[in-house]
Amino acid sequence: MAPSPEQKHSKDSQFDQPAHELAPRQKWYQWFAPTDSPAERRLILKLDGLIIVFVFLAYWAKVLDSSATSTAYVSGMKEDLKMYGNQLNYLNTVYMVGFITMQIPLTLVMTRVPVNYFLPAADLLWGVLTLAQYKAANVTQLYALRFFVGALGGFFFPAVQWYLGSWYKGAELARRGALFFIASQVGSMSAGYIQAGAYAQLNGRYGIEGWRWLYIICFACTIPIAFLGLCLLPSTPETCTSRFLTPDEIQLARARMAAENRQPREPFTLAKIRSILKGWRLWVLVGFAFFFSQADGVSSNSGLSLWLKAEGYSVANINTITTVSPAVTILSSIVCGVLSDIYDVKVALIATTAGLNIFACTVLAIWRVPVGLKFFAFFLSGTADGIAAIIYAWANEICARSSEERALVISAMNTVGNTFGAWTPLLVWKTVDAPRYLIGYNWTIALDVCMLLMLVVLQRCWRREQRRPAGSGV
């Protein structure tokens, strides 16, 4: 008996629906999608163990070094090396010059060489140069060392974002990116305790001053992690020969990336560079990243700690209370990463976070509010960085069709953020304005408003790109 027109339409409409609407929805607490096969789940778990563990530990170790110089300066380095005037500022400036100028070149170099050797080797060299700082006899030697330490450490964040995009699907990236990103927050929370304990226990041991021990500890943390990377990291799927992945798993990884339109590495030709520069993706994503990267000024410019000090809180209480902000960043990063991957709500999460930051900065700009509300505003501002993993996961998705474009765009996004972050605080977060940074809080409100406007532009460009037939150009 032939089906009626109504039955036929109902049957056909099932196949007209997108696959993601027919498939069961992943729950927030599930690590795998319901559609992942057993083989795919085994592969994902292996990748998490081989990649995520290394990049988390390596990023954590780098945060120890970034705070070691300031700690060393007040722990005897100033006197031992006869530093005076603005030489600490010059040290930080030299570090940032290396950090900023080498991000794009080194990230692009990584697309040309085996990643599984390049990342750990750079980490190993970074550790050796960090150790060399403990032998510095004068500030001139430190200038040279800090430049190269900055160069080798600066490219790590964008390089890892590109690397994660070479292995993980779009619905997996934000969570992994969040786990990688929170290593910096864990590092900032633990660095003070590690360095304080090391100085108290090791100062003068074997005739070595306490501030020099700080660099030795950074080295001791880094070298085992670098060797772990050399042993575990796989290269990218198209060139992978990992001893921990079977040929079938490598082939499955390639198929997963092909299904995501994630293209393998190709020659970096002049024509490709021209194509990238002519397209919208580089300029819109870098513009968006500028506003995002500067909007975390409340937590990055010590407003909370300076306010607590002005209010007469003890040093112990200040150190304890200020750990809440990075804890909020960690929690918001995980929540945003999970929600983004499972429900694909990048735009809503970014807009919500910007709105929360606008509210927090409005409260702080008013300033004369109840103490409880002021605490809430300071802590709420910690959510500003919670969307970092989402933004870089989205960039991986948007630039999926060119591995080289992904590397260039992601590194440029991070470079622009660091470049402006190196000098804009001198204008809008002036120490003389502390703890009520009226200019800084209003500046952050303006940044978040502009980020919301850029979000509309980015979303429209991306939707237009998705409607465009494959192979129709930029």
Side-chain angles (χ1 to χ4, degrees):
M1 180 178 177
S4 67
E6 292 80 5
Q7 290 173 322
K8 187 175 186 302
H9 174 74
S10 175
K11 184 178 179 181
D12 289 346
S13 65
Q14 295 177 12
F15 296 98
D16 291 338
Q17 294 177 1
H20 66 82
E21 293 182 7
L22 295 174
R25 184 180 291 277
Q26 183 178 357
K27 304 294 191 299
W28 67 268
Y29 54 83
Q30 293 177 324
W31 195 244
F32 306 106
T35 54
D36 290 339
S37 66
E40 200 166 1
R41 296 183 182 198
R42 285 193 298 271
L43 171 63
I44 293 170
L45 280 179
K46 282 188 176 183
L47 293 176
D48 290 341
L50 297 174
I51 297 174
I52 303 301
V53 172
F54 166 75
V55 298
F56 181 95
L57 292 174
Y59 201 28
W60 169 80
K62 284 173 173 52
V63 175
L64 291 183
D65 171 78
S66 65
S67 60
T69 298
S70 297
T71 304
Y73 182 79
V74 298
S75 302
M77 182 174 74
K78 175 183 178 181
E79 293 75 17
D80 288 349
L81 300 188
K82 298 179 174 57
M83 297 175 64
Y84 58 87
N86 292 320
Q87 288 185 329
L88 177 61
N89 291 338
Y90 299 154
L91 269 181
N92 293 332
T93 299
V94 168
Y95 174 85
M96 287 306 299
V97 169
F99 193 97
I100 292 169
T101 58
M102 297 308 294
Q103 278 189 11
I104 294 176
L106 288 178
T107 304
L108 294 179
V109 167
M110 198 180 73
T111 67
R112 306 294 94 199
V113 298
V115 181
N116 53 319
Y117 297 129
F118 186 75
L119 271 181
D123 218 38
L124 192 64
L125 183 57
W126 178 85
V128 171
L129 290 171
T130 298
L131 176 65
Q133 294 174 96
Y134 108 92
K135 293 292 290 181
N138 54 64
V139 71
T140 304
Q141 294 176 2
L142 270 184
Y143 288 148
L145 290 170
R146 292 304 290 171
F147 173 85
F148 290 107
V149 167
L152 288 169
F155 88 101
F156 189 76
F157 182 84
V160 168
Q161 296 292 347
W162 174 86
Y163 183 42
L164 295 178
S166 298
W167 281 101
Y168 289 103
K169 295 166 67 174
E172 300 161 352
L173 264 176
R175 275 171 292 174
R176 274 73 184 183
L179 290 175
F180 167 60
F181 175 76
I182 65 175
S184 63
Q185 306 302 312
V186 174
S188 66
M189 293 173 70
S190 60
Y193 298 107
I194 293 173
Q195 291 165 357
Y199 183 83
Q201 298 297 321
L202 296 174
N203 186 28
R205 183 73 62 90
Y206 305 115
I208 301 174
E209 295 91 340
W211 70 268
R212 298 182 188 272
W213 276 108
L214 299 180
Y215 293 113
I216 296 174
I217 290 171
C218 288
F219 167 80
C221 292
T222 300
I223 297 306
I225 296 171
F227 279 110
L228 180 69
L230 284 172
C231 294
L232 296 183
L233 283 187
S235 186
T236 50
E238 69 271 14
T239 60
C240 183
T241 56
S242 172
R243 67 173 68 92
F244 299 104
L245 298 175
T246 67
D248 287 343
E249 287 171 333
I250 295 172
Q251 190 59 41
L252 175 59
R254 293 170 182 167
R256 279 162 44 89
M257 293 299 97
E260 295 279 303
N261 294 317
R262 205 79 53 78
Q263 296 300 313
R265 293 180 286 185
E266 297 176 346
F268 209 159
T269 62
L270 187 60
K272 182 178 286 291
I273 295 174
R274 282 199 297 263
S275 175
I276 294 172
L277 294 177
K278 285 166 53 181
W280 66 268
R281 293 178 288 273
L282 173 65
W283 307 108
V284 173
L285 282 167
V286 169
F288 181 82
F290 162 74
F291 295 112
F292 158 72
S293 64
Q294 308 306 307
D296 67 343
V298 177
S299 56
S300 63
N301 287 280
S302 306
L304 175 58
S305 59
L306 293 173
W307 173 62
L308 293 173
K309 183 177 181 180
E311 292 294 310
Y313 284 78
S314 67
V315 174
N317 284 335
I318 293 174
N319 289 336
T320 301
I321 294 171
T322 52
T323 60
V324 175
S325 291
V328 170
T329 301
I330 291 172
L331 180 61
S332 62
S333 296
I334 294 173
V335 170
C336 286
V338 169
L339 294 179
S340 176
D341 277 352
I342 294 176
Y343 300 107
D344 193 19
V345 284
K346 300 179 184 69
V347 173
L349 289 168
I350 294 171
T352 300
T353 300
L356 293 176
N357 206 29
I358 289 172
F359 172 78
C361 290
T362 300
V363 170
L364 294 173
I366 296 171
W367 195 251
R368 291 181 177 84
V369 297
V371 172
L373 180 58
K374 192 175 294 185
F375 269 115
F376 178 74
F378 273 120
F379 296 152
L380 186 64
S381 67
T383 61
D385 280 333
I387 54 175
I390 297 176
I391 292 170
Y392 284 94
W394 201 3
N396 266 306
E397 182 181 350
I398 290 173
C399 302
R401 295 185 182 275
S402 170
S403 179
E404 293 70 32
E405 183 179 44
R406 281 197 300 117
L408 179 58
V409 169
I410 289 173
S411 57
M413 289 167 65
N414 200 53
T415 298
V416 166
N418 286 307
T419 300
F420 282 89
W423 61 269
T424 52
L426 301 176
L427 302 178
V428 298
W429 297 97
K430 297 178 181 180
T431 306
V432 294
D433 295 335
R436 188 191 179 185
Y437 290 110
L438 182 59
I439 297 175
Y441 299 140
N442 283 291
W443 167 246
T444 304
I445 293 171
L447 288 169
D448 278 305
V449 171
C450 291
M451 186 171 75
L452 289 173
L453 295 175
M454 282 298 298
L455 180 62
V456 174
V457 175
L458 176 57
Q459 185 184 25
R460 288 185 176 179
C461 289
W462 177 227
R463 284 180 175 175
R464 186 179 61 198
E465 175 100 342
Q466 290 175 301
R467 291 193 297 265
R468 184 176 299 163
S472 62
V474 296

